[in-house]
Amino acid sequence: MDHELTGVEIFPHIRIVMGIIIGMGITRLLAGIARFVQHPARESISTIHLAWVATMLLMLVHFWWWEVALYGIRHWSFGVFFFLIIYSVVLFLMSVLLFPDDIREYANYEDFFLNRRKWFFGLLASTLILDVVDTYIKGETHFDEYRIELLVSTPVFFILCLMAMRIAIRKFHLAMVAINMAYEAIWIATLFDTPS
């Protein structure tokens, strides 16, 4: 039977590819956390690093859940599919930056993170722009619903990311991760903790 596939038929295939990439990011973070359990004497724990690990786990799970809104798209293009893969890859790369294959050149994970912060916060800043595009892709109604949020939070967090790329002060990075984690948690509670 020859028929054109609908958006509802196409999206599960797209979500599988996205899920593989997001799943690799989650796996990377969980395997990294396991290193601290496996080798407690070898791996020194850093509050900044572990807080970003927890925040990234929240971001990955939130992204996966949030993308269910793409079921509403009726007409898919390769461009939209490719955009979603790029977004997933950026989140995966952020996970890899938190647990690289080798940190022998650095004193510990915090030292690595602070020295490679330009990459991490550059990628984080790019997710803000990707999120605006992602919200637009989900339709005009969806975009209008979050327009004020995007107009306020996106520029503020983008500026904070640019500052984080330049500033290596530990207290600043503790504040940055605390703000990011709180914001992510508030978003999740606001969007998904609704009575059934």
Side-chain angles (χ1 to χ4, degrees), residues 23-95:
M24 289 190 317
I26 291 171
T27 302
R28 184 73 172 218
L29 295 174
L30 295 178
I33 293 168
R35 289 183 206 165
F36 294 119
V37 177
Q38 294 167 341
H39 307 288
R42 188 192 312 167
E43 308 292 355
S44 64
I45 292 176
S46 156
T47 306
I48 294 171
H49 177 254
L50 279 184
W52 274 114
V53 170
T55 302
M56 271 311 300
L57 278 169
L58 268 179
M59 287 174 68
L60 289 166
V61 171
H62 183 191
F63 175 81
W64 177 245
W65 182 259
W66 183 246
E67 293 309 304
V68 80
L70 291 169
Y71 263 116
I73 294 178
R74 295 184 180 199
H75 304 287
W76 283 91
S77 68
F78 183 79
V80 172
F81 167 68
F82 189 69
F83 166 80
L84 292 167
I85 298 308
I86 294 296
Y87 197 162
S88 302
V89 167
V90 168
L91 293 170
F92 168 74
L93 290 174
M94 289 174 68
S95 301

Side-chain angles (χ1 to χ4, degrees), residues 101-179:
D101 293 327
D102 184 8
I103 62 162
R104 280 179 289 188
E105 303 165 50
Y106 302 92
N108 50 40
Y109 281 104
E110 183 172 307
D111 183 43
F112 174 84
F113 178 79
L114 291 175
N115 277 286
R116 309 304 291 170
R117 69 187 182 279
K118 289 180 182 175
W119 279 98
F120 184 82
F121 289 107
L123 289 170
L124 183 59
S126 74
T127 66
L128 299 167
I129 295 162
L130 292 169
D131 194 47
V132 172
V133 176
D134 179 70
T135 306
Y136 180 76
I137 286 170
K138 290 171 182 159
E140 196 174 320
T141 305
H142 186 83
F143 188 84
D144 287 341
E145 187 177 346
Y146 298 102
R147 182 183 302 272
I148 301 298
E149 177 65 32
L150 292 171
L151 290 173
V152 174
S153 67
T154 301
V156 169
F157 274 99
F158 193 84
I159 290 166
L160 284 172
C161 285
L162 294 179
M163 290 171 64
M165 290 170 76
R166 296 187 62 100
I167 298 170
I169 300 167
R170 193 171 190 278
K171 285 183 181 177
F172 174 85
H173 284 277
L174 281 170
M176 180 74 177
V177 71
I179 290 166

